[in-house]
Amino acid sequence: MRKFFRGTFLLISFGCHAQTSYLLKPDRVFDGQSMHENWAVWTQGNKIMAAGKAEDFPAESHQAQVIDLQGTTLLPGLIEGHSHLFLHPYNETSWNDQVLKEPRAYRTARAVKSAEQTLLAGFTTVRDLGTEGAEYDDVGLKKAIDEGIIPGPRMIVATRALIASGSYGPSGFSPDFVVPQGAEEADGHDDLIKAVRRQIGKGADVIKIYADYRWGPNGEARPTFSEDEIRLIVETARSSGRPVVAHASTAEGMRRAIMGGVETIEHGDGGTPEVWKLMKDKKVALCPTLAAGDAISQYRGWRKGQDPEPERLAEKRRNFKQALDAGVTMVMGGDVGVYSHGTNAREMVLMVDYGMKPLDVLKAATSGNARIFHQENRIGSIQKGLLADLVAVTGDPATAITDIEKVQLVMKDGKIYKKPE
């Protein structure tokens, strides 16, 4: 109990009673595109007022509270591209048991804590791609965060997600029972239109579909929705101004999703040179979720750093490199929830390990994700007029990407939630 109140005091002190104007002075600033030495950033209220040399700022900035961030790099608030705040690591509780046995109130309580951990790790926005059986509880979580009731990142929510009947899970039970599913089942013209509109009406910012899943004769991944069904989902969502994203790990599932008009492919493990070219041509981005596969392999007994890399991960590494070489745009998103919330930066470290340049990973986690998620006029860059979502880390993550984990300051909407001791 003592620990709870101490953590709460920290957030109240730095969050709810934040100063209205700050002058942040790090060693360098990454503005979402490039690194600038000896820059400062001035914020007022919830907006960025200026970025550049402090001596060039207007006189009004001299009244701001100065925060000395010597030894740090200041960046736009990081954007997690694939999270599940209503899940927790599978080595704690299996996915099936989380969906079937954990009460929704309990899952929401965990999600509240996970949201706080995510924010304090420097991730000021998340695209949360499905509650996995917790219905529309992400809408309520988002509302509580937006109203300042609890600390957490901005949320782009997918609510229940859409699956083809019989294709998802939990599965393997007696056919005599109707088992609750981790997403909403819908098929065919009328049913799919109603399901998309229902999720939008309940609060979905994005529609997520499962273009394939492990429902083949031998439990292998096979496509689910037809290309026409996906096109219908996209057309229905797009008429409301919302994008569609697709879980897809087979070449055919990816192809159908791409041709159907989705904006991002999640996972993409089975991509081929032909699929990567199609993604490039159609301007569809890939969210590779490297950290999820890495975590699951360790849960299954792989001793990272001691044992040879499992073939599944070696293949993922090759596919990621193929996609990079083909010019596919990368989303920074790790499928966090499979592993611990607040360790989101694992994905950024792995993206570098798998072949991306650190500066490109920083772009993906900030301005890149903001553009792909249609948020570039609000977040993702340090420039005048955008929201004051900022994070400072010790060192220089453009040189050593692991420095991104050394968070010293977190500001969201102009309010400070974490600052140096």
Side-chain angles (χ1 to χ4, degrees):
M1 183 65 69
R2 187 177 304 152
K3 182 176 180 181
F4 171 81
F5 280 110
R6 184 162 58 241
T8 303
F9 177 73
L10 173 72
L11 289 162
I12 290 175
S13 297
F14 296 153
C16 297
H17 299 295
Q19 295 288 323
T20 59
S21 187
Y22 294 102
L23 184 61
L24 307 174
K25 293 188 171 182
D27 283 6
R28 65 194 66 80
V29 171
F30 174 71
D31 65 2
Q33 292 295 329
S34 54
M35 197 71 74
H36 305 275
E37 297 292 329
N38 302 313
W39 267 28
V41 175
W42 171 37
T43 70
Q44 191 170 61
N46 71 339
K47 294 292 180 67
I48 297 169
M49 301 302 292
K53 301 292 185 182
E55 56 265 30
D56 297 332
F57 292 175
E60 187 182 355
S61 68
H62 301 163
Q63 306 302 315
Q65 178 181 334
V66 176
I67 299 182
D68 183 3
L69 294 168
Q70 184 177 0
T72 72
T73 300
L74 187 69
L75 309 95
L78 302 172
I79 303 171
E80 169 62 59
H82 189 132
S83 71
H84 292 282
L85 287 173
F86 285 83
L87 292 177
H88 59 98
Y90 297 171
N91 64 333
E92 296 174 357
T93 307
S94 70
W95 182 85
N96 271 16
D97 282 355
Q98 290 184 52
V99 174
L100 293 176
K101 295 182 179 180
E102 293 183 347
R104 280 172 50 197
Y106 171 83
R107 295 184 68 187
T108 298
R110 292 196 69 119
V112 168
K113 185 63 178 177
S114 296
E116 176 188 332
Q117 292 169 328
T118 300
L119 178 63
L120 295 182
F123 288 80
T124 55
T125 300
V126 299
R127 186 178 63 154
D128 203 69
L129 293 183
T131 60
E132 304 289 345
E135 297 292 315
Y136 297 98
D137 292 346
D138 54 350
V139 176
L141 182 67
K142 174 184 176 179
K143 181 177 174 64
I145 292 170
D146 288 349
E147 293 181 359
I149 297 169
I150 59 171
R154 304 178 191 280
M155 293 183 67
I156 301 167
V157 300
T159 67
R160 298 178 65 190
L162 287 173
I163 53 174
S165 294
S167 65
Y168 200 45
S171 60
F173 296 86
S174 167
D176 298 326
F177 298 101
V178 177
V179 179
Q181 294 292 286
E184 181 176 2
E185 293 183 322
D187 315 275
H189 186 276
D190 293 354
D191 200 19
L192 283 171
I193 290 175
K194 287 179 181 179
V196 171
R197 290 175 176 167
R198 179 167 50 248
Q199 291 190 6
I200 290 169
K202 297 285 189 179
D205 301 308
V206 59
I207 298 298
K208 180 189 178 182
I209 66 168
Y210 284 75
D212 55 31
Y213 205 69
R214 298 184 296 273
W215 71 322
N218 299 303
E220 73 277 16
R222 291 290 184 94
T224 55
F225 295 115
S226 69
E227 188 176 319
D228 285 342
E229 286 178 314
I230 295 173
R231 190 172 289 109
L232 176 66
I233 292 167
V234 169
E235 179 183 315
T236 305
R238 191 172 286 165
S239 69
S240 76
R242 289 167 175 80
V244 176
V245 306
H247 165 115
S249 62
T250 65
E252 177 59 16
M254 294 171 71
R255 188 199 67 78
R256 292 184 191 180
I258 296 161
M259 295 305 295
V262 306
E263 294 193 1
T264 68
I265 295 289
E266 310 303 306
H267 313 302
D269 294 15
T272 64
E274 294 76 20
V275 168
W276 305 135
K277 183 179 185 303
L278 190 62
M279 290 184 71
K280 169 70 173 175
D281 292 345
K282 297 288 186 180
K283 296 181 172 56
V284 176
L286 173 66
C287 187
T289 64
L290 306 176
D294 184 88
I296 289 170
S297 291
Q298 292 183 66
Y299 300 159
R300 292 173 176 171
W302 174 48
R303 296 172 299 174
K304 187 172 183 175
Q306 300 179 51
D307 298 336
E309 191 169 61
E311 178 54 32
R312 174 184 175 185
L313 296 187
E315 180 64 22
K316 182 77 171 181
R317 187 182 292 270
R318 289 190 290 269
N319 283 355
F320 183 78
K321 183 64 163 54
Q322 282 184 0
L324 274 181
D325 291 345
V328 175
T329 299
M330 292 293 173
V331 172
M332 200 302 294
D335 206 356
V336 61
V338 174
Y339 53 98
S340 296
H341 296 283
T343 66
N344 307 63
R346 286 175 65 170
E347 181 74 8
M348 299 176 72
V349 173
L350 283 169
M351 290 174 87
V352 171
D353 182 53
Y354 277 45
M356 279 185 81
K357 297 176 181 178
L359 194 66
D360 289 339
V361 173
L362 296 181
K363 291 178 185 178
T366 55
S367 60
N369 275 2
R371 177 183 55 79
I372 294 165
F373 303 160
H374 308 285
Q375 301 292 316
E376 67 270 30
N377 293 326
R378 303 174 68 237
I379 58 173
S381 298
I382 297 179
Q383 64 184 58
K384 182 178 180 180
L386 296 194
L387 295 174
D389 289 4
L390 300 165
V391 56
V393 300
T394 300
D396 181 0
T399 301
I401 192 62
T402 52
D403 285 348
I404 201 68
E405 299 171 319
K406 303 171 183 176
V407 176
Q408 296 299 311
L409 176 138
V410 178
M411 176 186 288
K412 179 193 151 203
D413 212 36
K415 299 175 183 177
I416 295 178
Y417 290 86
K418 180 177 184 178
K419 71 177 182 180
E421 297 293 336

